[in-house]
Amino acid sequence: MNFRSHTALLLLAAATSLPHPAHAAEPTLRGVFEKDFLVGVALSSGTITGRNPKAAELAATQFSAITPENETKWQSIHPQPDQYRFESADAYVSFAKEHKMELIGHTLVWHSQTPGWVFQGEDGKPPTREVLLKRMHDHIQTVVGRYKGKVKDWDVVNEALSDGGPELLRDSPWRKIIGDDFIDLAFRYAHEADPKAELYYNDYGLESERKRANSVKLLKGLLDRGVPITGVGTQSHFHLNQPPVADIEKTIKDFSALGLKVMVTELDVDVLPGRGNFGNADVNRREQGDATLNPYTAGLPEDMQKKLAERYAEIFDVYLRHRKAITRVTFWGLSDGQTWLNGFPIRGRTNYPLLFDRELKPKPAFEALIKKGSEKRTP
Ligand code: GLA
């Protein structure tokens, strides 16, 4: 072989091994925010177990953490007193491992999606404090114990704060039967079951003045009593114009001033008109529908796509400013086709709160976040 053809061969080899610009890896959410925080997604078990391989691949490519949408809630994992069902949760463990994602446990103690037997005693009466505490202890010990070293963080207590009135706490069966210290004890039991797991208090609407002040009060109390809490999860079920970014920022600042980590645990942006009940993401709340509250059944107009993209960009500006305090930002769902907001608070609407559309295609909001994540940041 002469020198010329040898050089030509080498050049050819180099050209074929280098990625062609058109095939170069596209930037991903998990990639562009890698140095800032984990970017998570809540997934249904159908996505995990291969019923929708395209969705599974998209989730694994774009996100660095997963939260089971339902499968680690009490009613799924512990439906009967002597029956635990671990198959679904185990599938998340394998998926997370395979795709190098962190796994989040959600949620140990909540008033919703908890089977009726938990709050029943003898003769249809409520159980005693001791009986309910033992149930809570056994549940936490069994579930957290099983996933020790596999689940990075647990949402230990979900939505214990009240939505109005003079009381700090919601009058849930947990509080009624055990007393206010059910929160302290849930954290202590979780810490006992896995001393290395990060333990979070999780709630919605924490950006409103009342709930922000009340959550700070609650968290301060936990810290003062030496309760093993790592941080606070702000669910962040937002709307296009509510809450204002200044309130989002204030909440993050107030929590991190307590020395707690902050997680955004259930982010989505409702684009549909509502009746003004912004900030109340109580899953049991229902409103009557009418056609004016469901205007985009034929698709989201371009100007609304733009508004959604701008809203996500302004929210992420706040997150990036506070990236030292924020350890994870999780979206509550992968695509618009599966979001809970098609059914909440009014059933049967067509909503568009996420970054991927019903065909799993990226929306302008996704591009806006990739752009934001790719901007240079000062340390
Ligand atoms: C709450 C819960 C989540 C989920 C959403 C709605 O925010 O924490 O587990 O049920 O409601 O889907």
Side-chain angles (χ1 to χ4, degrees):
M1 189 186 296
N2 65 30
F3 175 75
R4 258 184 135 166
S5 56
H6 182 69
T7 313
L9 260 183
L10 280 179
L11 281 174
L12 183 72
T16 45
S17 65
L18 281 175
H20 186 274
H23 299 125
E26 300 280 340
T28 60
L29 293 168
R30 66 185 289 173
V32 298
F33 294 110
E34 194 180 9
K35 297 211 167 79
D36 305 304
F37 32 68
L38 294 168
V39 187
V41 62
L43 295 180
S44 65
S45 67
T47 309
I48 292 294
T49 50
R51 247 181 288 153
N52 188 346
K54 260 185 77 186
E57 196 199 324
L58 179 65
T61 311
Q62 294 294 337
F63 297 95
S64 45
I66 27 172
T67 305
E69 203 169 337
N70 288 300
E71 292 65 21
T72 43
K73 290 176 180 170
W74 195 311
Q75 100 184 348
S76 313
I77 208 163
H78 189 183
Q80 301 291 337
D82 47 7
Q83 183 196 33
Y84 283 90
R85 287 199 186 142
F86 294 121
E87 313 79 53
S88 297
D90 288 354
Y92 283 84
V93 174
S94 316
F95 189 91
K97 191 161 178 239
E98 184 184 344
H99 300 292
K100 300 193 171 52
M101 300 164 99
E102 298 289 355
L103 180 60
I104 315 305
H106 170 81
T107 173
L108 296 169
V109 174
W110 190 22
H111 56 277
S112 207
Q113 294 186 260
T114 301
W117 64 261
V118 176
F119 306 121
Q120 268 156 28
E122 312 263 312
D123 310 324
K125 287 201 209 103
T128 61
R129 169 182 158 94
E130 286 63 39
V131 167
L132 188 55
L133 273 180
K134 184 170 184 319
R135 283 181 190 160
M136 184 166 109
H137 181 264
D138 292 352
H139 176 81
I140 292 178
Q141 192 64 43
T142 309
V143 176
V144 176
R146 179 176 178 95
Y147 297 107
K148 192 172 171 175
K150 294 181 176 133
V151 164
K152 179 175 177 279
D153 341 306
W154 278 101
D155 292 336
V156 178
V157 175
N158 202 28
E159 303 176 355
L161 287 165
S162 68
D163 281 319
E167 297 283 325
L168 182 74
L169 297 182
R170 175 194 297 274
D171 211 14
S172 70
W174 292 110
R175 179 181 184 225
K176 276 195 207 135
I177 300 166
I178 297 175
D180 289 1
D181 62 344
F182 83 91
I183 303 175
D184 295 34
L185 290 163
F187 277 92
R188 293 193 194 283
Y189 296 163
H191 184 64
E192 176 195 325
D194 183 357
K196 290 205 178 123
E198 298 196 1
L199 306 179
Y200 286 80
Y201 173 75
N202 194 49
D203 212 331
Y204 60 78
L206 302 180
E207 292 70 25
S208 78
E209 216 173 309
R210 178 184 179 277
K211 243 172 149 177
R212 182 190 310 125
N214 282 352
S215 52
V216 167
K217 206 162 158 190
L218 168 72
L219 296 163
K220 246 176 142 283
L222 297 177
L223 291 167
D224 288 347
R225 293 188 295 278
V227 172
I229 177 171
T230 315
V232 50
T234 165
Q235 292 185 4
S236 308
H237 294 294
F238 293 154
H239 294 255
L240 268 186
N241 303 308
Q242 290 290 335
V245 277
D247 292 356
I248 299 176
E249 183 150 26
K250 185 147 191 355
T251 293
I252 296 170
K253 276 188 182 162
D254 283 4
F255 291 156
S256 74
L258 293 173
L260 290 169
K261 289 189 182 180
V262 182
M263 299 231 164
V264 175
T265 49
E266 305 184 17
L267 179 63
D268 45 26
V269 176
D270 188 336
V271 301
L272 298 181
R275 294 206 165 86
N277 238 326
F278 302 120
N280 186 338
D282 189 328
V283 284
N284 300 312
R285 189 165 69 80
R286 285 280 164 262
E287 286 178 6
Q288 280 304 313
D290 74 53
T292 61
L293 300 179
N294 191 20
Y296 310 122
T297 50
L300 192 64
E302 224 170 279
D303 63 319
M304 291 297 293
Q305 292 279 14
K306 195 162 164 256
K307 276 195 188 144
L308 180 66
E310 286 164 2
R311 175 67 166 153
Y312 267 117
E314 70 171 12
I315 293 170
F316 268 69
D317 274 335
V318 175
Y319 294 165
L320 287 171
R321 270 205 292 285
H322 295 281
R323 63 188 193 278
K324 296 222 164 70
I326 297 177
T327 42
R328 169 168 59 93
V329 176
T330 286
F331 291 82
W332 200 251
L334 181 66
S335 71
D336 291 341
Q338 310 147 342
T339 168
W340 74 299
L341 291 174
N342 292 323
F344 175 87
I346 296 169
R347 287 189 208 281
R349 293 195 299 173
T350 309
N351 214 330
Y352 301 84
L354 295 167
L355 303 184
F356 299 95
D357 70 13
R358 286 169 167 76
E359 275 79 51
L360 301 177
K361 296 215 180 71
K363 293 160 62 179
F366 169 83
E367 308 296 350
L369 292 191
I370 290 290
K371 185 159 166 261
K372 188 120 305 265
S374 310
E375 283 164 7
K376 210 168 158 41
R377 289 183 269 296
T378 42

